[in-house]
């Protein structure tokens, strides 16, 4: 013999407050290109001991995918341990990039 069992329907509502302007601002900063202020070697990692994989000329522009701490470098814009990843296996010291900040301007790698 089979029985019919009634299961009450329930609604589940999740209220999430998202700051759309902050989200757009983060995406805009990540997509922004920045000028190189002096000729600089591009390295395979965040330090001068990493292999040289290219060179950028002053006036060229880069998009910073993410940033990570590495070797401390003194360059045209000051002293910093921040390195900017500008492509897969391509890093430049943040002291050669005019970001308008002495801190992080992109997500950490």
């Amino acid at each position: 013999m089979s029985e019919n069992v009634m299961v009450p329907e329930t609604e589940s509502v999740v209220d999430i407050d998202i700051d759309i302007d902050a989200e757009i601002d983060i995406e805009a900063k990540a997509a922004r290109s920045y000028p190189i202020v002096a000729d600089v070697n591009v390295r395979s990692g965040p330090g001068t001991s990493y292999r040289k994989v290219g060179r950028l000329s002053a006036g060229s522009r880069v998009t910073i995918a993410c940033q990570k701490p590495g070797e401390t470098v003194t360059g045209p814009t000051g002293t910093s341990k921040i390195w900017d990843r500008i492509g897969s296996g391509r890093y430049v010291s943040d002291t050669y990039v005019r970001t308008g900040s002495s801190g992080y301007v992109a997500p950490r790698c």
Side-chain angles (χ1 to χ4, degrees), residues 90-101:
R90 297 175 53 84
Y91 291 85
V92 294
S93 168
D94 193 59
T95 62
Y96 285 82
V97 183
R98 187 170 318 283
T99 62
S101 172

Side-chain angles (χ1 to χ4, degrees), residues 44-64:
S44 63
T48 59
S49 62
Y50 286 87
R51 185 172 51 89
K52 180 181 166 184
V53 295
R55 186 157 177 82
L56 292 170
S57 299
S60 58
R61 297 185 74 83
V62 295
T63 299
I64 300 171

Side-chain angles (χ1 to χ4, degrees), residues 14-81:
V14 177
D15 186 19
I16 300 174
D17 185 22
I18 298 174
D19 185 347
I20 299 296
D21 291 333
E23 206 170 296
I24 291 169
D25 188 43
I26 290 168
E27 290 174 8
K29 284 182 181 176
R32 182 179 299 157
S33 70
Y34 299 94
I36 298 294
V37 296
D39 294 354
V40 63
N41 290 326
V42 179
R43 301 287 180 170
S44 63
T48 59
S49 62
Y50 286 87
R51 185 172 51 89
K52 180 181 166 184
V53 295
R55 186 157 177 82
L56 292 170
S57 299
S60 58
R61 297 185 74 83
V62 295
T63 299
I64 300 171
C66 60
Q67 296 175 297
K68 70 185 307 177
E71 177 185 348
T72 299
V73 172
T74 298
T77 65
T79 300
S80 177
K81 66 178 183 177

